[in-house]
Amino acid sequence: MELGNNLHNATNGLQLGLARRSVGLLAQLTRYASANQLAGLLHLVELIVRNQETSKAIENFRTEVLGEATSYQLVQRIQTESSAACRKKLVENLIGNELVLGTAKRRQFAQREGFRPPTFILISPTMRCNLNCVGCSTRRYMYSKEDDWSFELLDRVLTEAKEMGMYFVVTLGGETLIREDIFDAYEKHNDIYWLQYTNGTLIDEKMARRLAQVGNVAPALSVEGFEKETDERRGKGTWKKIMRAARLLKEEGVIFGFSATVTSQNAEILASEEFIDFFIDQGCLFGWYFQYIPIGKNPDVALMATPEQRNQLRKFNHYVCANKPIFIGDFWNDGPRCSGCLAGGNQYLHINGDGDVEPCGFVHFAVDNIKHKSLKEVCNSEFFREIRRRQQATTAPDRYSDNLLTPCQIIDQPWVLREIVEQTGAFPTHDGAETIITDPKIKAHLDEYSKRLHQIMDPIWEQEYQERRPEYRDQSAPAARTRQPLP
């Protein structure tokens, strides 16, 4: 027995050692590598590391990021438009640490602990913000500096995340750049790659220069469309400050992008070639789309994009991926790319400003607080286990169906979230959070939305994905239970 354990530990140690050497190899060789050469280097790393999870992660990266002609153009843009420090950290931290080393560490964690850890985490170390945007789920509450996470808590969470194999961290808020010590975290944990959602108004010449120097932070500038739409929601003059931030980031060679919340009022603008071309011209290398979710106090369900608008955005994103040199992410429409819902520790989780551990940034319920438990402990709560059992994801044995175009337990299968919260006793993490599962008006709207969405997306899934693309007929995944009529 002891010999077997020693051999197992030695094998794991060897795999981690090879992964670390591969990260160094990538960092050295990709400084001037073309997209073709980068694909070849990733194959070399795959041969060196030799484990199934790493190979799958590399294959996904190769096909999703390097597989299209426009993706080669995107790699060329990164090489020519970003600073040496930013390129170095993109390769070392995101590809090397997260994709290669992190995958190996997460695999070993799963073998040791009996469950898979998340791939990344979303954190809100402050809820303070210098804006007061219409419809924001946090703006109806007053936060002060005393409500921020302590630096010690932030440092502990990041350290535990890396021990579990997570080297990709997303910061939300609030406005995280309002924290005076946030760059201390970026610099201390310089092996992490950070995605920083920001309103952009605090980015001046000094901050843009500092972001270029640390290299491991990719800001995502929040917009609502163009100047009219952005200023209507975020305040007059905000658009000009965002455009100034974009100019400064581009001049300094910082890798950055945009973030946009899709509503019934701006869906057509956001799904337009004019919008995408404009932000490519501003220097954006990526963009994230988020559906408006009616959470918080007195949310306006009329702001939700319709199922028809969501489907139009799906088709538009496919066009962009095939024709534009920019990476686009849209979790509600990207279910086929990321194997369905990511929440509940399946791929990620959210820790809010109070330390409450939420399944995702839009599910404001929790059973644990990170101030009282380790990251490992909160990832395996009954609440999270039940979500992972029932969410619309390929790994979930009791998911509603195989349709990955309807991944969301909040708006696509809203009864799932209601039942899980009731079953596990999860508490709302702020006043008004419970309305999404208790308010009759909101419940009725979400039920009707879900029915209409499935009427649109189910035939598309069956005809465009399962019939034409064999990878979505994966027999190794647990079979979904027999579909029941929508409640």
Side-chain angles (χ1 to χ4, degrees):
M1 178 68 73
E2 183 177 352
L3 176 61
N5 289 336
N6 289 338
L7 288 173
H8 179 74
N9 292 335
T11 301
N12 284 342
L14 178 61
Q15 287 181 339
L16 285 181
L18 289 172
R20 290 191 176 97
R21 291 292 298 274
S22 300
V23 172
L25 178 68
L26 275 171
Q28 293 178 39
L29 298 181
T30 54
R31 189 173 180 183
Y32 303 107
S34 66
N36 274 324
Q37 291 167 332
L38 180 56
L41 289 171
L42 287 171
H43 180 60
L44 178 61
V45 169
E46 195 176 349
L47 292 174
I48 294 173
V49 177
R50 286 186 177 275
N51 73 65
Q52 184 177 0
E53 290 83 358
T54 302
S55 296
K56 184 176 181 180
I58 290 175
E59 178 60 25
N60 288 340
F61 179 84
R62 190 161 44 222
T63 56
E64 296 294 346
V65 179
L66 300 177
E68 299 285 348
T70 52
S71 298
Y72 287 97
Q73 297 171 18
L74 175 58
V75 172
Q76 291 173 347
R77 285 189 62 206
I78 293 172
Q79 290 173 323
T80 58
E81 297 178 22
S82 61
S83 70
C86 291
R87 290 196 302 274
K88 180 175 183 290
K89 285 301 181 181
L90 178 71
V91 172
E92 283 187 356
N93 294 6
L94 187 59
I95 299 177
N97 290 340
E98 173 65 20
L99 183 65
V100 180
L101 177 61
T103 300
K105 292 179 75 171
R106 293 191 296 272
R107 174 176 175 268
Q108 292 186 11
F109 178 95
Q111 291 175 337
R112 183 175 65 250
E113 303 296 337
F115 69 95
R116 292 184 303 110
T119 305
F120 66 99
I121 56 172
L122 171 63
I123 60 175
S124 295
T126 182
M127 297 306 293
R128 289 182 290 145
C129 187
N130 58 322
L131 298 183
N132 188 22
C133 303
V134 176
C136 178
S137 62
T138 67
R139 289 303 88 219
R140 296 177 184 270
Y141 314 95
M142 298 299 294
Y143 295 96
S144 67
K145 190 173 183 178
E146 288 68 36
D147 297 313
D148 290 356
W149 289 17
S150 68
F151 188 83
E152 291 73 22
L153 176 62
L154 176 59
D155 183 50
R156 173 172 73 82
V157 169
L158 297 173
T159 299
E160 291 179 2
K162 290 188 291 185
E163 290 171 351
M164 295 169 66
M166 290 174 268
Y167 290 87
F168 182 52
V169 175
V170 184
T171 53
L172 190 57
E175 172 53 59
T176 307
L177 292 177
I178 210 170
R179 280 189 68 133
E180 298 172 356
D181 60 356
I182 193 61
F183 275 89
D184 295 337
Y186 296 157
E187 291 168 349
K188 181 173 183 179
H189 296 275
N190 63 1
D191 51 352
I192 285 175
Y193 199 79
W194 303 74
L195 173 61
Q196 167 69 70
Y197 289 110
T198 174
N199 61 45
T201 61
L202 300 179
I203 298 177
D204 55 14
E205 289 87 348
K206 181 180 179 181
M207 186 174 289
R209 192 172 304 114
R210 197 171 181 189
L211 286 166
Q213 290 169 350
V214 297
N216 61 337
V217 184
L221 305 175
S222 297
V223 298
E224 311 301 328
F226 294 107
E227 183 170 14
K228 176 179 177 295
E229 296 78 26
T230 300
D231 281 1
E232 281 181 352
R233 186 182 183 202
R234 296 181 173 268
K236 186 173 177 59
T238 301
W239 172 262
K240 288 184 171 59
K241 294 178 182 178
I242 296 172
M243 291 300 100
R244 178 173 177 267
R247 175 178 58 80
L248 294 172
L249 293 171
K250 184 178 182 180
E251 289 174 354
E252 293 291 343
V254 177
I255 294 173
F256 75 99
F258 71 83
S259 169
T261 298
V262 184
T263 72
S264 58
Q265 298 177 358
N266 67 2
E268 283 70 29
I269 293 172
L270 296 181
S272 70
E273 200 161 4
E274 178 188 9
F275 176 81
I276 288 294
D277 288 344
F278 176 85
F279 279 96
I280 291 175
D281 290 342
Q282 302 312 302
C284 288
L285 291 162
F286 63 88
W288 290 104
Y289 287 111
F290 294 90
Q291 295 291 315
Y292 171 80
I293 306 295
I295 50 179
K297 284 186 177 180
N298 304 317
D300 185 359
V301 293
L303 285 176
M304 285 185 66
T306 66
E308 290 79 8
Q309 289 173 320
R310 174 168 156 183
N311 187 41
Q312 185 59 39
L313 179 65
R314 179 189 67 86
K315 292 187 287 187
F316 175 73
N317 287 344
H318 286 182
Y319 167 79
V320 171
C321 290
N323 294 279
K324 304 291 182 181
I326 186 172
F327 173 83
I328 294 295
D330 174 0
F331 289 121
W332 282 264
N333 285 321
D334 277 350
R337 295 172 67 182
C338 52
S339 300
C341 176
L342 309 180
N346 177 27
Q347 294 291 338
Y348 95 118
L349 54 83
H350 175 233
I351 309 176
N352 71 13
D354 294 323
D356 296 322
V357 185
E358 301 169 336
C360 83
F362 297 92
V363 177
H364 294 181
F365 294 88
V367 296
D368 289 317
N369 190 290
I370 199 63
K371 297 175 183 177
H372 311 303
K373 291 186 177 181
S374 69
L375 188 58
K376 180 177 74 172
E377 288 176 300
V378 302
C379 285
N380 203 31
S381 68
E382 180 193 359
F383 183 35
F384 278 21
R385 291 197 305 271
E386 190 63 17
I387 287 173
R388 294 195 292 266
R389 184 176 72 84
R390 295 190 58 187
Q391 66 192 162
Q392 198 84 332
T394 57
T395 54
D398 291 327
R399 60 188 181 272
Y400 171 68
S401 77
D402 288 327
N403 187 352
L404 299 180
L405 293 174
T406 60
C408 185
Q409 62 186 318
I410 315 170
I411 61 176
D412 299 349
Q413 284 81 228
W415 62 91
V416 173
L417 178 61
R418 296 169 198 158
E419 292 172 1
I420 292 176
V421 168
E422 180 178 4
Q423 175 183 335
T424 62
F427 60 84
T429 55
H430 59 81
D431 186 25
E434 72 283 353
T435 59
I436 198 163
I437 64 171
T438 61
D439 184 281
K441 180 180 178 182
I442 296 175
K443 290 173 64 177
H445 183 88
L446 293 182
D447 288 345
E448 186 58 36
Y449 174 95
S450 173
K451 289 180 181 180
R452 179 58 185 150
L453 182 74
H454 277 275
Q455 289 171 355
I456 294 172
M457 294 298 190
D458 285 355
I460 293 173
W461 174 253
E462 294 168 1
Q463 296 166 16
E464 296 185 16
Y465 287 83
Q466 288 191 311
E467 291 182 6
R468 300 182 187 179
R469 303 175 68 174
E471 65 268 30
Y472 295 112
R473 299 194 299 270
D474 183 5
Q475 298 302 312
S476 66
R481 66 183 182 181
T482 304
R483 182 189 297 276
Q484 301 296 322
L486 284 166

